[in-house]
Each structure stands twice: as C-alpha cells, then as structure tokens.
Amino acid sequence: MKKILPIFSYILHPIFISMYATLFYLFCKGDIFTNQEKYYVLFQILIITILVPILFFMLLRSTGHVKSVMVHETSQRKIPLILQCFLYILLVKRSIVIIRYPELHFFFLGALFSTILALIGSLFKIKASLHMMAISGFTVFVIGLSIHLQMQNPYWTALMVFLTGIVASSRLVMEAHTNKELLIGLALGIFPQMLFLYLWL
C-alpha cells in the first residue's frame, strides 16, 4: 500500500485539479454546451492551468529556484503561487466568465482566494499542503454542483471524500507534510469554496 499511495500524489497533483473540475462541470452540464465549446474551454484550461505552469516550473528548475515538482520547501513556493494567482485571475476575467459559466467561475474564484491565502501563509513560513487545498476545494465544488443540479447521486460525494482521504494518506506516507500542514491545506481549500458556494448554490 505504501508503494501505491504516492501515485495518487501525482495523479491528483494540484496542477491537474482545474482540468478535473472543468471536465466534471462540462459532464454535468453537457446538454447546455456544444462539443466545439467544450473543446474550446478544455483547451484554454489545458494551456492556462497545466502547460504554462509546467513550462514555468521547468524555467524555475533550470535556474535553481525550485528543486522538485512537489515544491516541498516553503521558500520555493512563493513564485509558483504568485504565477498561479495571475493565471486564475486571467481565467475568471477573460475565459471562464460568470455570465456563461457561473458555477465554474466561482470555483476558480475560490481557488484564487485559496492560492492567495497559501501565498500569505508562505510569506510567514506557514506551510500548507497544496495537494489537500486543491482536492478539498474540488470536493466542495463537486458536492455543491451535485446539490445545485439536483443530481441525486451520492457516489460522486463519496468518491471525492474517499480521494481526499487518499491524498492525505499519500502525503503522509511520502513524509511530505505533517498532520497540521494537511489540516491547514484542508481549511484553505474548503472555506473559500464554501464562501462562494452561497453565491451560486
């Protein structure tokens, strides 16, 4: 089990959560959008939340500012988190606009606030689990969207709670975080999403 759990740290890495959330959103509201629009949205998410951060990470690694894709050290997180803030702002201002994609817009807005809080924490040398922050925010979004669309499918909620636990176990097995850091990440992921949930639920 100890050999399997670390795999989830990569599959459910924060860099992929935006894509997973978007796929879930488009799946749930599939009849509203054309296939062309779905591909267009996914292409934007792919570029802005995955490709750009990866290229930026490669640049930081080549210059010695970052040592690992997991970014273990708090001091190395500042620049990636600042970039992430700008990318989320770009998404909510230009791509995932509130008029067309209200629920997804507020998800990314919540993710932006979570990232800002994580950045502030890093300035004060407070380390939060970014994995937990991402997966817990995604979990709240899935639960909220399930309620909003009256999906009446408890399996999505159960799956997300299970995956949140798997990610927490994975980070502990890899000795990447303490229990305190996992709880901080959990709180940073949940509270901003809960705050914005009231605006669209």
Side-chain angles (χ1 to χ4, degrees), residues 31 45 48 60 79 104 114 167 177 186 200:
D31 296 336
I45 299 299
I48 295 173
L60 290 176
I79 297 176
L104 194 60
S114 293
V167 169
H177 292 289
L186 187 71
W200 60 267

Side-chain angles (χ1 to χ4, degrees), residues 54-102:
I54 287 175
L55 291 173
F56 196 73
F57 165 77
M58 293 172 65
L59 175 63
L60 290 176
R61 190 169 187 177
S62 67
T63 57
H65 288 89
V66 171
K67 295 179 181 178
S68 167
V69 70
M70 295 298 177
V71 195
H72 297 297
E73 297 181 24
T74 309
S75 59
Q76 296 180 0
R77 294 181 167 199
K78 296 171 187 175
I79 297 176
L81 285 173
I82 290 172
L83 172 69
Q84 196 65 37
C85 287
F86 280 112
L87 293 176
Y88 280 141
I89 291 171
L90 178 63
L91 275 177
V92 298
K93 292 287 285 184
R94 299 294 181 185
S95 300
I96 311 300
V97 292
I98 190 171
I99 296 173
R100 185 61 178 158
Y101 317 100

Side-chain angles (χ1 to χ4, degrees), residues 126-183:
I126 298 173
K127 186 179 180 182
S129 171
L130 300 182
H131 278 75
M132 284 303 292
M133 185 178 80
I135 193 67
S136 61
F138 182 26
T139 299
V140 173
F141 177 65
V142 168
I143 294 172
L145 197 60
S146 298
I147 296 171
H148 181 61
L149 300 178
Q150 299 180 341
M151 293 169 61
Q152 298 179 347
N153 186 345
Y155 297 110
W156 284 116
T157 299
L159 175 64
M160 293 309 303
V161 172
F162 174 73
L163 290 177
T164 301
I166 287 288
V167 169
S169 300
S170 174
R171 304 310 286 157
L172 288 173
V173 165
M174 295 178 71
E175 298 182 353
H177 292 289
T178 63
N179 288 328
K180 180 182 177 181
E181 291 165 356
L182 291 176
L183 288 173

Side-chain angles (χ1 to χ4, degrees), residues 11-34:
I11 296 174
L12 297 171
H13 191 281
I15 201 172
F16 300 125
I17 296 299
S18 294
M19 180 60 79
Y20 297 153
T22 304
L23 284 168
F24 181 76
Y25 175 77
L26 294 175
F27 169 76
C28 292
K29 302 191 72 172
D31 296 336
I32 297 176
F33 311 114
T34 63

